[in-house]
Each structure stands twice: as structure tokens, then as C-alpha cells.
Amino acid sequence: MDKQLKPSIELHESGSNGENLELVEFKPIQVQAESSTSVVNKIPANRTNDDPKDKKLLRKLDLHIIPAMTLLYLICFLDRVNIGQAKLNGLTTTLNLSSIQYNNCLSAFFVTYILFEIPSNLILKKLRPSRWIPLIMTAWGVATTFIGRVDSYAGLFICRILLGAAESGFFPGINFYLSSWYKRREISWRVSILFSAVSLAGTFGGILAYTINLMHGIWGQEGWRWIFYIEGSVTVIIGALSFLFISDFPSDRPKFLTENECDRVIVRLRTDAGPGASEHFSWSQVGSAFLDWKLYVWSLCGLTITVPILSLNFFSPTIIANLGFANYQAQLLTAPPYAFAFITTMTTAYFSDKYARRGIFIMFWSIISIISYIILLLTENFVLKYFAIFIAVGSLTPSTAICISFLSCNVSPHIKRATALAFMLSMCNVGGVIGGQIYRYQDAPRFIMGHSINLVCCVLSFATATILVAALYLENQRRDRLYAKVNNYTASNTEADTIDIFNLGSAEDRQRWGYENMSEKKIRNLGDKHAAWRYIL
């Protein structure tokens, strides 16, 4: 591979407060050439420290990225769970589906979703978001539309498999995408805004399905078919148009940012990522993700949150209908719990980012969800049962969002994070396979088996979150003792007169860490294993 020179820049401070920086020496060092870092070579060192302009930059990023991603995820989730509303409108009757066949169709979606999730995340990095996301979105829109034409169990099953394959790249992809734009302390709020789309889909999904069902009989089509026709067609149209408004990664120089703003975004991410920050593709990073024991605990935590939330997304209309309500009433009554979930998700995200805490919120909401399932199991009063569904949805939704950001902000470098995130979300979707099977027709109206399994899952999510918080806290303490405390995640400390804009650390830093004989590539591949990295709890 070609070699190129990268600068190590020494700066002297002038003025009583060190506001001005004077360039006094340029020391070239020879390193491996990397496409992602070639951009950084052009960034002046005086933009390596955070400045007030960050707020303006964040507002600009939020305006151009978050609304688009939230809209797309809203559509994605509607297409995934609209089958639950279609069931109330006669899907199972028309297709003559048994309880097992219907549940198999729910779970089939997640089989291909799991299989294609990790490859899709790696393709996203290579093919770029502005190409990959519109492509897969258009594909799942077509699959959704064709569900409206099925006339047998086999047809529905195949369409659900194809839908899962197409959607598999979207949610892990946009989580990885957001982590490529925002610093670790900023990501929870944005992921939760994204997850608010789940709450909005739940809030309006039932109302929308009730309204579309009024088209029953038009052109000889049943109402449940129109749900798929309309929602699938909208997905295809927006998917095709999304090519025009989805931006790529910061290093691709998106048009909505100036050159200086692109530089600023890249430097902010490098400063936050720390000394082990590498953006080049590396199989060693992929392997490193799978060798980290924490990945499997995060995945178990995510799975045990996903089982109850996805089972509620699929079956809450049926559960509510079995409280004694008519089908149309059940559709409308699914809206309030998800409106409440929107509030809890956004409130949790705000405080999670404000205090830079993740695991403690999962623990808190897990306790609330445990209480909700105990109520569902022990009482037969329909008011209390509906209240329990209310708080179950409101507690599980923010837990899901926080669990994702918990992993995203604690795994580095780039490819390791993409791999770990895709794996965890794959395991979460195993929860979708399980969640699609635990509520059966014959268990109505109390659904003891489904509620019991979800109760156990909530207990496990509390336990796994507790293990992660304790382990990360102890590891931070260990690194503080061995390598000294760090006030930020850069290689230089506040008293240093050398700013290493490539996050490799000064010679003194590398000696203190024991990295003096390591190559740049190996240092960059350390990621969250680097001595200067501190985990967010």
C-alpha cells in the first residue's frame, strides 16, 4: 500500500488564557495511506477543540438528517406491523389461517431479517447510504404491496420472508449512519427521536387502519388488502424520492455542508472517538467485535427487551379486543399507549444525553415493565389490564432506544461498531421470532403464556443492564488507576502543548500506554480497548 506523510503539529499558546495558537513546527511522519483519513490531512489544527459553533452545526445536521430518517423509519415500522391491524380486519379469515400459521408468518419476517442484517450494514459502508437505503426501501415497499394480493398461507409467508430480507438493512444501517455523524453523548437523543417513529406508528397505525378499512368493497377488494396496497405504494414512492434527500457520510462531503463544516464534523468525531479511532475497513475489527464478551450481554439485553415490545406491537390489538372491545374499538384503543410511549421515549432520551447515562435508564424502565406484566397476570379487571398495557408499551419503547445507543457509544472503531450493532440488532430480531409465537388464539383472553414469557424477559433485561453498568464502571476505574484519568477522549490532556489531530497520542502518551512500539494501524484498531477510552455508563 502507498505511503504518505501525515503531520504532527505542535502549537504554542499565547495570551493569558491560551486563546491564540501559533504554529511553530511541522513534523512529518510516515503512515499507511487511508482514504477516510486523507480528508483530515487538510484540516487545520485550530479546529480540534470544541467551540460555540458546534451548536449551530448540530442544528444544521439535525435539520437535514433527523427528520428524513425518522420519516423513513415511521414508514418502515408501519409496513412491518400493519399485519396485526389487517388481522382484525379479516386477513386470517380470508386466508383461512390457523393460529400457528399466522404466527409463523409473523416470525418468518425475522428469519431473513437476521440473516441479511450484518452483510447489509457492511454493504451500506461500501455502497453509501444515498444509494443503498432508497434501493432497499423501494424493495420492501413492493413486497408490502404484494401482500395485498396474496390468497393463501404460502403467498403470505413468502411475502413476509421477502419483506424481512429487504428491511434488514434499514434499521441497523441508520443507527450506524447516525453514529457516523454525531458524538457519543449526542447519539441517544437522536436515536430516541428515531425510535419515536415506533410510537407514532403505533399511535396512528390503528387509526389509519380503521380509516383504510372503510374502503372495503371498492374495486371488489377487502379492507385489509387496501392497507397493504396504500401503505406499500407510499413506501415505493418515498423510497424512490429518498435518493434526493439522503446524504452520505461526512467524508463524502455532502452538499448541505460547507467545506469548513465537513472538516468540523470529522474532527469532532475523531476527538470523541479517541486514540483508537480508525475508519478503514479491517477484518480484524470485525473479529474484534465477536471476541468482545460485552457484545453478547448487550445482545441478550436487547433480545429480552425486544421480545415483549414486538409481541405487543403485533398482538396489542388482539389483546385489547379480548378485553371485551369490538375490533374497531380495539384498533382505536391501541393509539393512547403509543402516544404515552412517545413522551417517555423523548423524556428518557433528553435526560440520558444530559447526564451521559444509558444503563441506569434501562434498569429503571425494566422495573416498570416487570410491574406491568405482573398486573396483566394477576388481575382480571379490564381497566387494570388496559392500564398495564399502557405502561408496558411506555416503558419498553424507551428501553429499546437506550439499549441501542448504549452499545453504539461504547464500541469503536468504525467497522467494529457497525459489526457489533448489526449483530446485536440481529439478536434483537430473534426476539421478533419469539415474540411472534407466544400469543396464541387458544390462550385468549388471559394469554398467560405470553405474559409470563414477557415477564421473564423483563427480569433478564434488568439483570443484563446491571451487569453491563457494573462491568463498564469497574473497567473505567481500572484504566484511571493504571493510565490516569482523562477529561476527554483525545490523546492529549489539557496541559499539553501538543495537539495530535490524528488521535495517536504524543510520544509521552504512547509510552505511558505501552504503545511506543506499536504501528499506527494497530493503535487505530484498538478502538474501545485503548487505554484512553472511557465507557459511558
Side-chain angles (χ1 to χ4, degrees):
M1 186 177 293
D2 293 338
K3 304 284 185 178
Q4 70 181 42
L5 295 181
K6 289 186 178 180
S8 174
I9 300 174
E10 290 192 4
L11 304 171
H12 284 182
E13 297 180 351
S14 61
S16 57
N17 296 320
E19 295 92 341
N20 300 316
L21 297 173
E22 179 185 358
L23 179 65
V24 296
E25 186 175 355
F26 178 90
K27 298 178 180 178
I29 57 175
Q30 197 173 46
V31 296
Q32 295 280 349
E34 295 172 9
S35 59
S36 61
T37 56
S38 61
V39 173
V40 189
N41 290 347
K42 304 174 184 178
I43 302 175
N46 61 4
R47 290 211 296 276
T48 59
N49 292 326
D50 286 342
D51 59 54
K53 293 182 180 179
D54 275 357
K55 291 185 177 179
K56 182 179 178 181
L57 177 61
L58 280 174
R59 284 196 297 269
K60 193 169 186 178
L61 294 180
D62 289 344
L63 180 64
H64 284 83
I65 295 174
I66 301 302
M69 294 298 106
T70 303
L71 171 65
L72 299 187
Y73 190 53
L74 170 64
I75 294 170
C76 172
F77 204 78
L78 276 174
D79 290 341
R80 184 185 307 182
V81 302
N82 54 15
I83 190 172
Q85 302 292 348
K87 175 178 178 288
L88 287 185
N89 290 338
L91 178 146
T92 54
T93 302
T94 301
L95 302 184
N96 194 27
L97 300 180
S98 67
S99 175
I100 293 176
Q101 288 176 323
Y102 174 73
N103 289 357
N104 287 343
C105 289
L106 296 183
S107 298
F109 170 92
F110 295 99
V111 174
T112 47
Y113 197 109
I114 293 165
L115 291 175
F116 290 103
E117 211 162 5
I118 293 178
S120 183
N121 238 22
L122 298 177
I123 292 172
L124 175 73
K125 177 69 176 172
K126 291 286 187 182
L127 198 58
R128 302 199 312 196
S130 63
R131 299 171 185 171
W132 185 238
I133 291 177
L135 178 63
I136 61 175
M137 190 172 184
T138 304
W140 91 61
V142 171
T144 300
T145 305
F146 272 94
I147 292 177
R149 295 297 301 162
V150 301
D151 55 9
S152 67
Y153 166 61
L156 179 60
F157 190 86
I158 292 171
C159 283
R160 290 288 293 179
I161 285 177
L162 295 176
L163 182 63
E167 276 197 30
S168 64
F170 185 70
F171 186 62
I174 56 176
N175 275 279
F176 172 62
Y177 176 68
L178 291 181
S179 69
S180 302
W181 281 98
Y182 294 98
K183 295 170 72 170
R184 294 188 294 153
R185 283 191 61 145
E186 300 160 352
I187 195 68
S188 178
W189 173 249
R190 276 80 188 179
V191 170
S192 294
I193 292 175
L194 187 70
F195 237 84
S196 70
V198 175
S199 305
L200 293 175
T203 302
F204 298 112
I207 298 172
L208 183 62
Y210 169 77
T211 304
I212 294 175
N213 191 54
L214 298 177
M215 297 176 67
H216 180 84
I218 296 179
W219 294 346
Q221 300 294 301
E222 295 154 291
W224 68 264
R225 295 186 186 274
W226 281 109
I227 294 175
F228 297 107
Y229 292 154
I230 292 175
E231 293 183 5
S233 299
V234 169
T235 300
V236 171
I237 293 170
I238 295 180
L241 293 176
S242 65
F243 176 79
L244 302 175
F245 58 79
I246 293 178
S247 300
D248 291 316
F249 298 109
S251 56
D252 295 314
R253 303 288 169 171
K255 294 180 180 179
F256 75 91
L257 293 178
T258 65
E259 286 293 312
N260 286 342
E261 287 170 336
C262 285
D263 292 345
R264 183 69 206 140
V265 171
I266 293 170
V267 171
R268 293 177 78 252
L269 292 173
R270 283 199 170 263
T271 301
D272 183 60
S278 174
E279 294 185 3
H280 69 282
F281 182 84
S282 167
W283 283 111
S284 66
Q285 291 182 29
V286 176
S288 177
F290 290 109
L291 292 174
D292 191 336
W293 68 269
K294 296 187 294 297
L295 171 62
Y296 302 100
V297 183
W298 263 307
S299 298
L300 180 59
C301 183
L303 185 149
T304 52
I305 294 171
T306 305
V307 171
I309 188 61
L310 284 180
S311 62
L312 281 176
N313 290 333
F314 286 131
F315 291 103
S316 58
T318 300
I319 295 171
I320 293 173
N322 276 276
L323 296 180
F325 297 100
N327 286 348
Y328 76 91
Q329 292 174 320
Q331 285 182 319
L332 297 177
L333 286 171
T334 58
Y338 286 96
F340 175 61
F342 176 83
I343 296 171
T344 58
T345 299
M346 300 310 296
T347 303
T348 302
Y350 172 78
F351 287 106
S352 174
D353 270 1
K354 181 176 181 180
Y355 297 107
R357 292 291 182 268
R358 305 288 186 262
I360 190 69
F361 289 99
I362 298 175
M363 294 161 63
F364 170 76
W365 287 120
S366 294
I367 292 172
I368 302 300
S369 59
I370 288 169
I371 294 171
S372 70
Y373 280 104
I374 290 175
I375 294 173
L376 284 168
L377 285 168
L378 296 183
T379 185
E380 295 188 20
N381 183 285
F382 79 93
V383 175
L384 286 177
K385 280 182 174 288
Y386 183 68
F387 172 73
I389 294 171
F390 210 91
I391 61 174
V393 174
S395 59
L396 290 165
T397 305
S399 293
T400 311
I402 293 298
C403 186
I404 292 166
S405 61
F406 195 15
L407 180 143
S408 294
C409 68
N410 281 311
V411 177
S412 180
H414 222 51
I415 298 300
K416 180 181 178 182
R417 182 170 67 245
T419 305
L421 188 60
F423 178 82
M424 188 192 80
L425 292 174
S426 294
M427 293 301 100
C428 288
N429 286 297
V430 171
V433 177
I434 299 170
Q437 298 292 328
I438 62 177
Y439 287 98
R440 305 174 301 177
Y441 295 170
Q442 58 265 41
D443 295 330
R446 296 194 64 190
F447 297 105
I448 297 296
M449 185 183 80
H451 295 332
S452 299
I453 292 173
N454 284 340
L455 174 61
V456 172
C457 286
C458 293
V459 172
L460 287 174
S461 66
F462 175 82
T464 50
T466 303
I467 291 170
L468 285 168
V469 169
L472 298 183
Y473 172 79
L474 293 173
E475 179 60 19
N476 283 348
Q477 294 296 306
R478 187 188 72 84
R479 294 183 187 182
D480 284 347
R481 289 194 305 271
L482 293 177
Y483 309 113
K485 290 186 177 182
V486 292
N487 295 322
N488 50 41
Y489 300 100
T490 62
S492 56
N493 33 56
T494 54
E495 298 178 356
D497 60 359
T498 299
I499 298 176
D500 184 344
I501 65 173
F502 300 104
N503 293 320
L504 297 176
S506 65
E508 182 181 348
D509 288 329
R510 291 193 291 272
Q511 186 175 13
R512 185 173 74 252
W513 299 328
Y515 301 157
E516 61 268 30
N517 296 320
M518 290 179 63
S519 66
E520 176 197 1
K521 182 178 180 180
K522 288 185 177 179
I523 294 176
R524 292 192 186 284
N525 281 338
L526 286 171
D528 56 87
K529 299 296 184 183
H530 196 287
W533 180 279
R534 296 297 181 272
Y535 293 103
I536 291 178
L537 307 180

